[in-house]
Amino acid sequence: PYHQDLSLKINGKVKPWSIENPFLYDLDVRIVEKGKVVDSIKSYVGMRSIEIGDGPHGKQVLLNGEPVFQFGPLDQGYWPDSALTPPSDEAALFDLQYLKDIGCNFVRVHIKTHPRRWYYHADKLGLLIWQDLVCSRKFDKKITKQSAAQWENEQWRMMDALHNHPSIIMWIVFNESWGQYDTVRLTKVTKSMDPSRLVNGVSGWTDYAVGDIYDRHDYSFYPTFGSGTSTPGRASLVGECGGNNLYIEGHLWPSAEIKPRVVTGITEANRENWATIEDMEEQYPKYIQHLALLREQGMNGAVYTQITDVEHECNGWLTYDRKVSKIPAGKLNEIHSVLYQEEQLGSPILDTNRLNDWKPLKDPEEGKPQTASFNFNLDNIPKKPLAIRFSGHGLFKVFFNGELASELKVILTNSADAPMPLPVTAAILTDEAVQQLKAGRNEVTIEITPSNSRRTFDLKATKLKGEVLLGRFELLEMNQ
């Protein structure tokens, strides 16, 4: 076979491909023999860089040298009339254009690949793509030397086939523990094969402290992301979150087999489903605001589950048939805009790291809560909304002057060969909680039920089995 490398010079300043301006250079290649064109091809080229670098909030994903916060859906790529293949080019474009319309800037393609035409539309529209390698079965116990070789061969061929799409900025080697093996080697091999993109060794669950990304999955109402000293050089994000079902009668697949577990009187600490469209419209903006607070702590992105309902999974923005957007697209765009706004939190009204009279909590008995109280003074009741921020893990209850103000559950994910990054979370306080505060002296009590027998929360930086406990509780005024 004939092979020749060519270099082309771009006259003038390079126009980078970006989310806001997905500029593509037209490419026209011709083979000429004896003055006659014997073959030709037309294509396009996008010029962009993607890397991990220093930003205002620690290690961040940099697109063309600038920090980019990423928000978009898990896309399992199913259609009710054609399974894993888009039924038409219009159908593929519809999904991607919908994401632009609701204010998303990326898509995680989950354990599948799309037809090349789908990626072409992403290139043209300016959507970033995280592409999963297609893993084997969940908790696969039958990985052999032969099956591993076959899997690796298929993944390298997939990477080669999709290599030229500028929209693809990340390869995800494993999803959770699905078919996971030899993670360190395979992450390094993936990076060596394509250093032009980020590599996420494992999205969720067992982390091996390798690759460009530390990735937690958290489906709670107050999502967390991993922070701490065990992720040097890596950017942190939430690779899956959301997951709240809303069943729309007349748009279920197939309706006779759906048995909704509709929950009424849903609490933020124990949420399974949105009960009604009105419930979703009320609670979803609060959920997004909690995500937005984590951006300023260093969270680089979040993957909402998911773009559409998929058969029995009814947690999409769209119904499976794409006929109903559970919240109108324009309204979703408005809700999501808060994710891209900087400086939402002001200076702390209370920062327990600065308290002199705090005594570190003792190692707890398993399953028993730890409780600590302290006092602080307020000159006046703040007029702006308030938020709280935690570092730690377990079930947290916060009391202002003896009244419950907030409840958050923070769970550690698995880790291997590395300390576990400490989760960080934040929550906006309700008006009722703020009203529990008063001008003058206030008492704050924190009750923590640990998620295991280890000490989980310490308001002074303390090292414990290689893990730096950033233990911190803050009460902050929001810049609204």
Side-chain angles (χ1 to χ4, degrees), residues 227-273:
S227 181
T229 58
S230 64
T231 60
R234 295 194 291 169
S236 287
L237 50 81
V238 179
E240 290 184 24
C241 61
N244 298 297
N245 289 306
L246 175 59
Y247 301 92
I248 305 297
E249 291 295 335
H251 300 275
L252 304 178
W253 186 95
S255 58
E257 295 183 11
I258 291 289
K259 297 179 180 179
R261 294 176 299 161
V262 175
V263 179
T264 58
I266 299 172
T267 64
E268 294 178 355
N270 183 24
R271 173 176 294 281
E272 287 185 336
N273 303 312

Side-chain angles (χ1 to χ4, degrees), residues 324-348:
V324 177
S325 181
K326 298 172 185 179
I327 296 177
K331 182 63 175 178
L332 280 173
N333 190 300
E334 180 183 340
I335 294 169
H336 293 156
S337 65
V338 71
L339 292 164
Y340 308 106
Q341 297 172 9
E342 290 279 7
E343 306 303 328
Q344 297 189 51
L345 292 175
S347 299

Side-chain angles (χ1 to χ4, degrees), residues 297-338:
Q297 315 316 308
M299 186 177 75
N300 279 261
V303 182
Y304 185 81
T305 305
Q306 53 191 315
I307 177 174
T308 74
D309 295 349
V310 177
E311 300 183 4
H312 63 287
E313 296 179 0
C314 295
N315 49 18
W317 289 310
L318 287 164
T319 54
Y320 194 20
D321 56 13
R322 276 73 167 172
K323 292 183 178 180
V324 177
S325 181
K326 298 172 185 179
I327 296 177
K331 182 63 175 178
L332 280 173
N333 190 300
E334 180 183 340
I335 294 169
H336 293 156
S337 65
V338 71

